[in-house]
Amino acid sequence: MSFKTLTYSPAVQGWPSFYSYNPDWMIGMNNYFYSFKGGNLYRHSSNNLRNTFYKQWCDQHSPALDPFSPTTLKSVINDLPLENKLFKTMDLVGDAPWAATMTTDLQYTGFIDQNWFEKKESTWFAFVRNNGTTPMSAPEYPLRSVNGIGNSTSVVIGIGTAQINFSINPLIAIGTIISVGDILYFSSSATGAGIVTNVVQDYAAGLNYIVIDTTPIWTTAIPTQTEYFLFNKNSVAESHGVLGHYCLFELSNNYNSKVELFATESELMKSFP
């Protein structure tokens, strides 16, 4: 069971903060905050080690329990909530970068690794990425990294490989967006077919096909000759931000020293379907 200690703020008339320590008793005295744990008395905010509580108690009673807990901060960006937007970046006004996850009413795959932030004019700046899965799940279908091709005319199955042929007349254009390494899917349920290893589009020679590697364990045999095919590019490399009317974000860090965060910003743009 996970315990949290809540703090009340008269300024906001609510309970905005949750702490990871679980004291037996606590009291404020002479401008200091004290708590008791396992018969020991602790004075808080008395050293430079942050986010570490009851280390002595942990060492004595539960050595496997880490007395350190990361800092997390949750908030929302809800400007113009009736308009659909792309949240493309995260800017942190502070003295250190944080890791970030971003979810909207339409997507929950946005994230930024702490090491991706770059300092620009005293602000930590990074682009929002999407952490897709292989094979992709239903919430990833609206992503801009997913593109449709069309129905195949035939499928040639080999050992650990398959060639998917498309019509030339009328033309089913495979296009130039697809590339080696992308994941090919079939049917409206986006079933994994394989990893693209070659794309051939030589209409004069009558060639218009994709070759895939079907050895990954998540692939499924293509059942018919005329399936609908689509592909998904690397969702991290091809990210365009997260789409939604508002954005819930969570920042976290593992610092055990003092860190200051003054403001957060996000660059966004209106999405045009």
Side-chain angles (χ1 to χ4, degrees):
M1 183 180 295
S2 177
F3 292 91
K4 299 292 183 183
T5 297
L6 283 67
T7 57
Y8 181 80
S9 172
V12 299
Q13 296 184 358
W15 305 82
S17 299
F18 299 79
Y19 292 93
S20 60
Y21 57 83
N22 178 31
D24 298 328
W25 189 259
M26 48 189 170
I27 189 172
M29 183 173 63
N30 297 334
N31 295 322
Y32 286 103
F33 175 63
Y34 296 90
S35 67
F36 295 84
K37 184 68 174 179
N40 295 316
L41 175 64
Y42 297 87
R43 190 172 78 177
H44 292 239
S45 304
S46 60
N47 57 42
N48 293 325
L49 191 62
R50 304 301 175 100
N51 288 12
T52 304
F53 302 101
Y54 308 142
K55 187 176 186 304
Q56 180 182 358
W57 183 89
C58 291
D59 293 342
Q60 292 175 348
H61 298 85
S62 183
L65 182 64
D66 189 355
F68 174 83
S69 297
T71 297
T72 60
L73 182 153
K74 297 181 180 180
S75 190
V76 61
I77 304 170
N78 58 358
D79 292 343
L80 303 174
L82 298 182
E83 293 187 0
N84 210 10
K85 300 172 287 294
L86 274 172
F87 299 87
K88 300 178 68 65
T89 69
M90 176 67 75
D91 304 344
L92 306 178
V93 183
D95 55 10
W98 298 49
T101 58
M102 306 176 71
T103 62
T104 71
D105 54 322
L106 300 178
Q107 290 180 225
Y108 61 80
T109 58
F111 79 107
I112 304 174
D113 190 276
Q114 182 173 316
N115 297 325
W116 294 348
F117 279 93
E118 295 185 8
K119 196 171 187 178
K120 297 183 178 181
E121 297 181 354
S122 300
T123 299
W124 295 93
F125 174 89
F127 288 98
V128 178
R129 303 299 183 191
N130 288 288
N131 55 349
T133 57
T134 301
M136 65 179 175
S137 56
E140 298 174 63
Y141 297 168
L143 297 181
R144 285 169 167 77
S145 57
V146 179
N147 296 269
I149 300 175
N151 286 63
S152 59
T153 55
S154 64
V155 178
V156 181
I157 306 296
I159 300 176
T161 186
Q163 177 177 309
I164 297 91
N165 300 303
F166 296 93
S167 172
I168 293 179
N169 187 20
L171 178 64
I172 299 296
I174 298 173
T176 58
I177 299 177
I178 192 171
S179 58
V180 172
D182 294 345
I183 309 298
L184 194 69
Y185 298 86
F186 64 89
S187 84
S188 58
S189 60
T191 305
I195 303 173
V196 177
T197 59
N198 193 17
V199 179
V200 177
Q201 300 178 82
D202 188 346
Y203 304 145
L207 303 175
N208 188 29
Y209 63 84
I210 298 172
V211 180
I212 59 173
D213 175 9
T214 59
T215 59
I217 59 174
W218 46 262
T219 60
T220 301
I222 302 170
T224 68
Q225 296 289 305
T226 56
E227 291 287 340
Y228 178 81
F229 285 89
L230 63 155
F231 65 93
N232 185 21
K233 303 189 73 66
N234 186 301
S235 57
V236 175
E238 299 292 330
S239 296
H240 299 274
V242 288
L243 177 69
H245 296 89
Y246 59 87
C247 179
L248 298 170
F249 67 89
E250 178 176 319
L251 304 178
S252 62
N253 72 57
N254 290 308
Y255 303 117
N256 60 9
S257 57
K258 179 181 178 181
V259 174
E260 293 184 321
L261 179 66
F262 302 102
T264 60
E265 300 175 314
S266 179
E267 293 183 11
L268 50 91
M269 60 176 288
K270 181 176 173 59
S271 177
F272 296 93

